[in-house]
Amino acid sequence: MLDPPGQARVDWEVVQDIAHRIGLDWSYSSSREVFDEIVSVMASYKNLSYDNLGLTGKLYPNPDPEHSDGTVVMFGERFNTDDGLAHLVPAEWLPAKELPSEDYPFVLNTGRLLQHWHTGSMTRRSYALDAISPRAQVYLNPDDATELGLADGEMARVSSRRGTIELETRVSHAEARGNCFIPFHFREAAANLLTTDEIDPWGKIPEFKFCAVRVEPAAAPGRAESAREAAPQAQGE
């Protein structure tokens, strides 16, 4: 859409440079070559080419990309199974690797805010978005906040077995008792100083959405090590 400014490069060039540095012999010269290889190994991309993508792209599968945008709704009448029905397979439930305890009685969930994106490197530079959500906050159920002696806007200390951060309290009816929520956009109170590095055994997805923490007023004497001592480096989300 736009010529890259300065020395900025398109994504595939950056990825290829990384591949070279780890010993892979990649030699793409254009996004066309990358797409052609994707088509060669993905059956659902059959009939697509870089040229017939046009300016707006195509949906897939697409039996006639020259005259059609592609399949808008897949499996409208039947699923791609022998009997045309969806087959639901029960999954074995497994508990999280780190459950609440007497020392760490709260379950921490991390995630996004409407106003910010990932590390906030772009959205926190936006005056309007940063004005709406300018500070790191821990969201607590009103009853939990009352028991902890924390009021809306007061500073709280949140600690896990890996580190400690201090941030503002946000009393919220969206959280169930025993749970708290911390957005991960704020490097000054990085949520991933607290999270565990356990991964799902099958999907290999990090368990950033569940770990045990302790919440207390920031003014209270700290029982945990400081974030600098306990967690010198935050994990990536």
Side-chain angles (χ1 to χ4, degrees):
M1 297 298 295
L2 299 171
D3 291 331
Q7 296 180 320
R9 294 182 292 167
V10 294
D11 288 354
W12 71 264
E13 291 179 337
V14 176
V15 174
Q16 179 164 273
D17 192 20
I18 295 172
H20 289 164
R21 296 182 186 207
I22 63 174
L24 298 177
D25 185 22
W26 290 11
S27 57
Y28 303 104
S29 61
S30 66
S31 54
R32 177 189 298 273
E33 290 186 9
V34 176
F35 187 77
D36 287 345
E37 181 172 311
I38 294 173
V39 172
S40 73
V41 296
M42 289 185 62
S44 56
Y45 272 36
K46 183 180 179 181
N47 300 318
L48 293 179
S49 70
Y50 191 82
D51 290 327
N52 62 34
L53 292 178
L55 294 176
T56 57
K58 297 289 182 177
L59 300 173
Y60 64 90
N62 192 328
D64 185 13
E66 299 300 332
H67 303 95
S68 170
D69 285 334
T71 305
V72 177
V73 179
M74 294 184 67
F75 313 126
E77 299 296 330
R78 57 179 287 126
F79 288 91
N80 190 26
T81 58
D82 291 340
D83 57 11
L85 300 177
H87 296 172
L88 305 181
V89 180
E92 180 183 357
W93 179 84
L94 295 173
K97 291 292 185 179
E98 185 175 85
L99 299 176
S101 66
E102 183 177 351
D103 288 335
Y104 300 96
F106 283 87
V107 171
L108 169 65
N109 178 27
T110 69
R112 297 164 177 80
L113 295 177
L114 175 63
Q115 295 80 13
H116 293 302
W117 173 256
H118 287 356
T119 60
S121 58
M122 292 188 295
T123 54
R124 294 189 71 191
R125 297 170 190 253
S126 164
Y127 175 81
L129 297 176
D130 194 57
I132 297 171
S133 297
R135 293 178 296 278
Q137 295 177 317
V138 53
Y139 290 63
L140 287 171
N141 178 277
D143 292 334
D144 285 334
T146 298
E147 285 190 2
L148 293 167
L150 284 165
D152 198 76
E154 291 183 341
M155 294 299 292
R157 178 185 296 115
V158 184
S159 305
S160 72
R161 292 175 174 85
R162 289 154 295 279
T164 297
I165 60 176
E166 292 188 359
L167 65 176
E168 187 178 279
T169 300
R170 174 76 175 271
V171 177
S172 167
H173 290 278
E175 275 55 58
R177 293 214 63 182
N179 291 263
C180 62
F181 171 76
I182 298 177
F184 50 61
H185 313 293
F186 301 89
R187 59 188 175 90
E188 63 271 28
N192 284 338
L193 286 170
L194 307 176
T195 54
T196 175
D197 59 1
E198 294 291 340
I199 61 172
D200 176 86
W202 302 105
K204 310 306 179 185
I205 301 171
E207 209 164 74
F208 290 141
K209 305 299 181 185
F210 195 112
C211 72
V213 298
R214 176 173 62 247
V215 184
E216 57 195 338
R223 292 180 291 165
E225 297 175 286
S226 69
R228 179 177 299 177
E229 295 169 340
Q233 181 173 328
Q235 301 161 350
E237 168 79 37

